[in-house]
Amino acid sequence: MTSETPTAATNPASTEETRVTARAAELSANLTALLDRIDAACRASGRSTDSVRLLPVTKFHPASDIEILYGLGRREFGESREQEASAKVAQLSHLTHVRWEFIGRLQRNKAKHVARWANTVYSVDSDRLAAALDTAVTAALEAGERGTPLRVLLQVSLDADPTRGGVTPDDLPALADAVASSASLQLGGLMAIPPLGADPEPEFARLARLHERILTEHPQASELSAGMSNDLEAAIRHGSTCVRVGTALMGARPITSP
């Protein structure tokens, strides 16, 4: 009787290794192209190429992709669904110096979970959510589940659509004051998403003006997170310090959202 050596087609380990190698090459190429876009946009705007931070948006993508990006030097990752994110944080606990940033809309009853692992929450848009996070972070600090306050960005509504989240420009100063005076939160800055179908240029210009006003009272709120795959150049022209990019880096979503 003769034995046959398994081929890549019949050897699951070999097949998985081939898949990971191909995915690593894809992500590496996408990352290089994306960083080149950011650098070009910075130069075109007369800004330093290190003045804009890339936040890879890894929601809907597997933990294995994050491990690949970690190997490519990335240390910050954006997630938007608490249950998915918490699972990834646990699965990737062996990775060091990682910053997990929560970019999605957050329900108050999920605050206690996110407070255990998030470095930053991008979607604070109400006093009630800020209070829930403050309480949750205080409890996490007391329990030794985290060692620092939670950095938060205020999500500004540019279209007054309540289904998309965001605090109105009129209510923004009061919310900034509330967060800045809280016990366990740090006001990091602002974020926004342009209205659907709108020209992003005037929207980002408006956001920049709102940011300038907030900075007069809260100079520590220096982050301006705006710009995604399709409009990051416009956002950088108007002062964005952090672009949140999913599709241009990660490709199409492999997991269908509910």
Side-chain angles (χ1 to χ4, degrees):
M1 179 180 297
T2 61
S3 60
E4 296 182 357
T5 301
T7 64
T10 60
N11 186 331
S14 179
T15 300
E16 176 62 12
E17 182 179 350
T18 299
R19 185 199 68 78
V20 170
T21 300
R23 181 59 171 159
E26 177 186 10
L27 289 175
S28 179
N30 290 350
L31 178 61
T32 297
L34 181 56
L35 293 175
D36 286 345
R37 278 181 66 189
I38 294 171
D39 286 351
C42 287
R43 290 193 298 272
S45 302
R47 299 178 58 185
S48 167
T49 56
D50 61 0
S51 65
V52 178
R53 181 169 63 94
L54 168 64
L55 178 64
V57 177
T58 50
K59 63 181 182 179
F60 305 118
H61 292 270
S64 58
D65 280 355
I66 296 175
E67 288 204 87
I68 291 171
L69 289 171
Y70 184 91
L72 293 171
R74 311 318 297 179
R75 295 295 182 268
E76 301 169 345
F77 304 101
E79 293 284 332
S80 67
R81 301 193 302 179
E82 180 277 320
Q83 188 172 8
E84 176 189 348
S86 293
K88 288 178 181 176
V89 171
Q91 185 176 349
L92 298 172
S93 61
H94 58 285
L95 301 182
T96 59
H97 306 297
V98 169
R99 282 172 41 134
W100 296 101
E101 310 204 359
F102 191 85
I103 63 174
R105 295 192 69 184
L106 180 62
Q107 296 176 330
R108 294 193 305 278
N109 62 357
K110 300 289 188 180
K112 63 181 179 181
H113 302 295
V114 172
R116 296 187 180 116
W117 52 259
N119 172 274
T120 304
V121 170
Y122 281 61
S123 49
V124 173
D125 60 1
S126 70
D127 289 340
R128 292 190 298 170
L129 177 56
L133 281 169
D134 190 30
T135 298
V137 173
T138 298
L141 288 166
E142 292 174 350
E145 294 172 325
R146 65 180 298 129
T148 61
L150 175 69
R151 179 172 173 269
V152 302
L153 303 188
L154 306 185
Q155 181 177 352
V156 182
S157 173
L158 297 175
D159 56 10
D161 182 351
T163 65
R164 301 186 74 210
V167 61
T168 66
D170 288 344
D171 292 333
L172 178 61
L175 181 57
D177 291 344
V179 169
S181 63
S182 64
S184 300
L185 305 181
Q186 292 180 340
L187 178 60
L190 305 183
M191 70 84 73
I193 304 170
L196 294 171
D199 178 357
E201 289 278 355
E203 301 301 334
F204 289 144
R206 181 183 176 204
L207 177 63
R209 291 193 295 271
L210 292 170
H211 189 222
E212 288 174 2
R213 294 173 194 164
I214 291 297
L215 284 171
T216 62
E217 297 295 328
H218 303 285
Q220 78 280 13
S222 57
E223 185 90 285
L224 183 62
S225 180
M228 298 184 285
S229 293
N230 295 327
D231 56 15
L232 65 86
E233 286 85 0
I236 290 172
R237 278 194 294 275
H238 293 285
S240 174
T241 63
C242 172
V243 293
R244 311 177 305 274
V245 180
T247 302
L249 175 62
M250 310 302 295
R253 297 175 179 176
I255 303 173
T256 302
S257 59

